[in-house]
Structure formats: C-alpha cells, structure tokens
Amino acid sequence: MVMHIDRRSMILGGVWGIGALALPAGRALAADLIGARGFTHAVASGEPGADSMLLWTRYVPASEVESARLDVEVAIDPDFVRIVGGGTVRTGGYRDWTAKVTVDGLQPGTSYWYRFVAPDGSKSPVGRTRTLPQGDVPRFGLGVFSCSNLPYGWFNAYAHAAARDDLDLWLHVGDYIYEYGNASVRPGQGIVGRTLMPDTEILAIADYRLRYATYRADPDLQRLHQMAPMVALWDDHESANDSWEGGAQNHQADKEGDWNTRRAAAMQVYREWMPVSDEPWKAYDIGTLATLYRTESRLLARTRPADITAAASAPDADAALKAFHDGVWQDPSATMLGSTQESWLAHAFRANARTTAWQMVGMGTIIGRTVMPANVTDWLRPDANAKLVQRYRNSVRMAQNGLPMWMDRWDGYPAARSRLLRSAQAADSDLIMLAGDSHNAWAYGLVEDGQPAGVEFAGQAVTSGGMEGDLRGDPTAVARGFVAANPELKWANTHQRGYMMIDISRDRVTGEWLFLDTIKARSTRIASTHRMSVERGRRVFSA
C-alpha cells in the first residue's frame, strides 16, 4: 500500500489497520488518521455495467492545494503491460479528497486491473474488478455482507471472501459502519485495538468522514474492495439507528440538532467514501441470468415505524394490540420505499422478468414474517433483568395477537410488503430477496395471497452481535422454536457471524451461509455452513 503520512504511527495505522492505533504511540495520535497524505485508503470499484465501472480512491496531496487531478489506468493484466482504458478526475477537500470516476468502453464479463496516478507520479495500490456479463451466462457468484460493527470483532468474513476466486461481485446490504461511540461497546465484548474514531457518536460531516476513514483503514475491508466490485446500499446505522425520513430512534433533536442536517451529512459522506453513484436506486443486468436491484428503504421516503409500545404495555394489552393490529399497523400510507420507488420496482419487474431468469432484490431489512415464539422466555439468560424479560413477554403477547416482533422491518409495514410481493407475482417473477439487518441468519419462503411469491436469503452479521446476546438456550433449539412459530421461516441460525455466498445459475439459485469460527481473533477458519436452493419456477425452497 502506498502511503505518505506525517507520523510513523499513522503509517502503521494505514498499512496494518486500525489495530495499530492501540500501540503505545497510537491512541494519542489516532485523530491524525484523517490527516494522512498520498493514497490513504487503497482503491475500490462499484456500479458495474457490461461496458463500464465506477472506480474509487482517496488521495491527499502533500502540499496545501485546493484540488488535485488524478488519472486512472485500466489494464487487462496486473502488470499494466496492456493498458486498455482510463480516465481523469479532480478531487479536493470539499469532498474529503475522495475521487470517483466511471470508465467506459470496457468489454463484458472481463476482469480488469486498475490504478490511479497522482500529479507527482505516485501510484495507488492496484485493484481488480470485473464487468457484468452479457447474453447467456452459465453461472454467477455473489458475496453478501451486512452489519459490520468494528469494535466487536475482526472482519474475518471480508478476509475469507476476498481470498475466494469463485465470486464475481460483492453486495453489501447495509450497516457498513455504525454511528455509536466507544462508550456504547458492552463491557467485556470489545476487541482490544478496535477503537472507533471519533470517540463519540457521529453527528456532523467531519464525524462521519473520520468514522469511514477508521473503518476503511482495516486491511481486510481494503482487500475486499480491491478484489472485486461492490454494489452497496445503506441501512440505518450509516445514519442513526432505526432511521426514517423524518428522524431516528437514535437521534434526539433537542440534544443533537436538526435531523435533516444529520441525514444530509450521512448521505453525503456515504457517497464520498463508497464506490456508489448518486442514483438512489438502480438495476444491474447479469446477462440473461438475473437482474440485481439496489434499493433505498431508510432515508428518502420511509415513513415512521408504527409505535407499538403503548399498546403492548396497556392495562388491557390484548384489546389494545387487537386495535393496533386492525388499525395503525395496516395503514396503507405506511411505506418503506415511497410510491416513486415502488412504481419503479414494479415496472422493472414487469420488464425484466421477460428477459432475465431471476429478479434479485438487495434490501436493508428482512421482508419475511417473523413473530416471537411463545416459549422464548425459557431461553433467556439467567441474569436477564426485569426490563429485558418484560420486553420479550411483550413480544410474545404481540405474536399472540398476530403482530411481528420488530416494527422496523417489512412486516411492520404489511400493506407495503403486500404491494411489493404482489408486484413480483403480477410480473411472473422468480423473486429472490437478499437482506441483512437482524445480525442472524434466516431463510424464508415468502407468501402473498396464499401463493408463493419468492424466497429470501437473510444474512448474518459480519461482527454485530445477534440474539445470542440475550439468550442462553441451546442455539439449535432456539432456531427450531423460531421455525415452528413462523410458517414462512424455513431455517434459522441465531448465534454465529459470517456472510452469504449466492450461486446463481439459470435453473437454480443456491445460498450458502458461511459461519466463521471466531471474530475475536484474526482467522478465516470456517466453523460450519448451511445451504438452501430454489429452482426456477418453483418460488419455494427445495426439499
């Protein structure tokens, strides 16, 4: 990695990752991370097309200038003997010295190597990318990630995936970063050296920029971006927990200022630091094999989640929950995507289901219906406090009244969920939903109007803790209990971290959940895997 940084400790931080900041001289200088010079955070690619690719880097000149011009070289060999394309881009402090350029004139289904060249002749690290194929495609591999909370573990899932040669594209479905500060890390659960910058919760543009700089200093994340292109979408933690168009659970306007200012900062910095275009949603054709959709379901049009707290804790909870079920929960004006995006997706299904075999929707949150099992309190850890126990009891009461356990997911917006699934059915789509957010692994057979509507592969977190934090029951029994309580749920794992690999062929899509042996030490050892498949035209998981 090419870096020119003012202090020796920051060279260590850039090359070896944020763990180097725990060295004796490191923590005191950690705030200098954003002051690195040269190509500070390697390279990345995204927004793939059959003949184009968006390329990303960050370059900070050594001298005090307002802007800098970077050239990019694209070659068909890693030694750059045969340079076949390129471009130029200008960057400056106004965009935190990040640079993005889209290169056209590429060939479909082709691997390329690329690098940026600075005004002083220095070169960025080399990245590898691959354009999308055209025509008949026998097979395509997709790696799916979500929920990467840096203080809680090493990014071993990224490291494992980056070492593979059978994956063509990464899909990150959200919670690429987390907004919380170091004080939020639960005692005894943080990893030494995995320290967040800034130290506190991020609120302003400078905060978000420093947080991305901290994450992107991780060598495994850098390597992931260098090895293949990524399609990325935000969920809530790129802004604040449980965010929606007009606010967030983790935003208190009286103490943290105007939500729209914070939301704008989060969106701007995400688009600076990620290899994404400014388009809010987009479709990517993988030849005639599949269409992959990048969606936006948090900050632009999502209405506020229905608040079930009062009903669940009412003196006559059953009556209050029934009224909630029949009233506010089913409000057709509640939306995750907004009417414009809903219309776009429905039209896209109709057009693309005739030309591509699979319609694959990347989504921040799970669409499968999930209620809390009646015996969940039997699985709670022995030291669970009264508040936690009551929360789970409320969720059981909600389930008994036909209500989901989380209002922040798609089943908290049942009318909007029905509209999406019906649009897929009307288009005769073979629908595959790809989601994250819950930190655990799930497989759903989606049903609408009594008919199969598609399947959902919902992935576990890279590092974020799952339900096992509250539970001490046998994980296998817990998973069986959830499956038994939920007709759409076909399989679950509620206690391990990792990522998903989606293998796409014309007649079958197979999802494999890969569970890492640990996230508490750097290791790519796989502890276990689980596979499930759906055959084209069936819209249910194979037996």
Side-chain angles (χ1 to χ4, degrees), residues 446-464:
L446 305 173
V447 177
E448 184 58 36
D449 294 330
Q451 298 298 317
V455 302
E456 181 171 40
F457 297 93
Q460 70 276 36
V462 171
T463 60
S464 300

Side-chain angles (χ1 to χ4, degrees), residues 18 88 103 135 152 165 167 216 317 330 335 359 391 404 479 488 499 511 516 520 526 529-530 536:
I18 201 64
T88 186
V103 176
Y152 283 91
D165 59 6
L167 296 174
R216 292 291 292 274
Q330 301 196 44
T335 180
Q359 306 307 301
R391 179 159 59 87
E488 285 193 345
Y499 70 105
L516 275 299
K520 300 305 181 183
I526 296 294
T529 64
H530 182 78
R536 191 178 179 206

Side-chain angles (χ1 to χ4, degrees), residues 71-90:
D71 296 320
V72 63
E73 299 174 339
V74 179
I76 59 173
D77 65 288
D79 297 321
F80 290 82
V81 174
R82 298 181 62 187
I83 295 175
V84 296
T88 186
V89 62
R90 185 167 294 277

Side-chain angles (χ1 to χ4, degrees), residues 20-29:
L21 300 181
L23 297 174
R27 183 65 187 275
L29 301 175

Side-chain angles (χ1 to χ4, degrees), residues 101 125 135 179 212 240 355 462 478 518 542:
V101 58
E179 81 276 20
Y212 277 94
T355 59
V462 171
V478 171
T518 183
S542 303

